[in-house]
Amino acid sequence: MTDPLSLALPDPDATDALGAWLAQTRPPRAVVYLEGELGSGKSSLARALLRALGVTGPVRSPTYTLVERYPVPGGEALHLDLYRIADPGELEYLALDALADEAVLWLIEWPQRGGAGLPPADLRLRLTVAGEGRRCEADAGSPVGRDWLGRLARICPDSVIS
């Protein structure tokens, strides 16, 4: 694939900027795994990306609902938070297969809890706390993700890439 991209996110504005860059370079269809510990910024980044895609109104964390749906250009974005999933078999109750045709963007927090019941990642974003800010390690999981990561690397300022 391509080399991972390491990004410094020193403050919430930087996370919002990353969301905007991801929206600007987004392919027509993609699956994004958002990985990291509690408080690492997964929901904040998902919210920033959805806002940059034109979502207005509340953008809720799907911690309790498990999935939130949002209209975005080209179809629908699904934002999943699988923290409360104890077994991948529980995904069956979310009826994700019925939503898959309309979903042009999947944003999946805690994907390791979904196992093989999830579509494979095009892009993996691993968020960690770094001092007062965050770090994001982005790497591709498919040719779509590799192309997306390449476009992202071309528009990110050098001050963010480390």
Side-chain angles (χ1 to χ4, degrees):
M1 293 283 150
T2 189
D3 290 335
L5 186 61
S6 183
L7 305 165
L9 307 172
D11 55 40
D13 289 342
T15 299
D16 291 349
L18 177 56
W21 298 326
L22 287 164
Q24 183 180 341
T25 56
R26 177 180 72 96
R29 288 187 154 319
V31 175
V32 179
Y33 285 4
L34 297 159
E35 301 172 342
E37 296 301 315
L38 286 171
S40 62
K42 298 178 298 294
S43 291
S44 296
L45 181 56
R47 186 174 298 111
L49 173 53
L50 290 166
R51 287 273 185 239
L53 289 172
V55 174
T56 58
V59 177
R60 297 175 204 72
S61 173
T63 301
Y64 294 100
T65 59
L66 301 182
V67 63
E68 292 286 340
R69 300 163 62 177
Y70 299 97
V72 296
E76 189 170 59
L78 302 177
H79 182 193
L80 288 78
D81 184 333
L82 304 181
Y83 182 73
R84 296 189 175 284
I85 296 287
D87 181 87
E90 293 177 46
L91 289 178
E92 185 177 317
Y93 299 107
L94 297 179
L96 297 177
D97 291 341
L99 301 175
D101 289 340
E102 294 178 26
V104 296
L105 179 62
W106 295 67
L107 301 171
I108 306 171
E109 297 184 41
W110 301 97
Q112 68 275 19
R113 296 184 184 229
L118 295 173
D122 294 304
L123 192 62
R124 287 183 182 273
L125 302 176
R126 291 181 190 91
L127 294 151
T128 55
V129 175
E132 296 294 315
R134 306 284 186 266
R135 293 203 59 72
C136 178
E137 300 295 326
D139 68 89
S142 73
V144 167
R146 184 187 64 236
D147 293 344
W148 191 0
L149 197 55
R151 289 189 302 276
L152 181 64
R154 286 191 291 279
I155 69 165
C156 283
D158 289 341
S159 61
V160 174
I161 299 174
S162 55

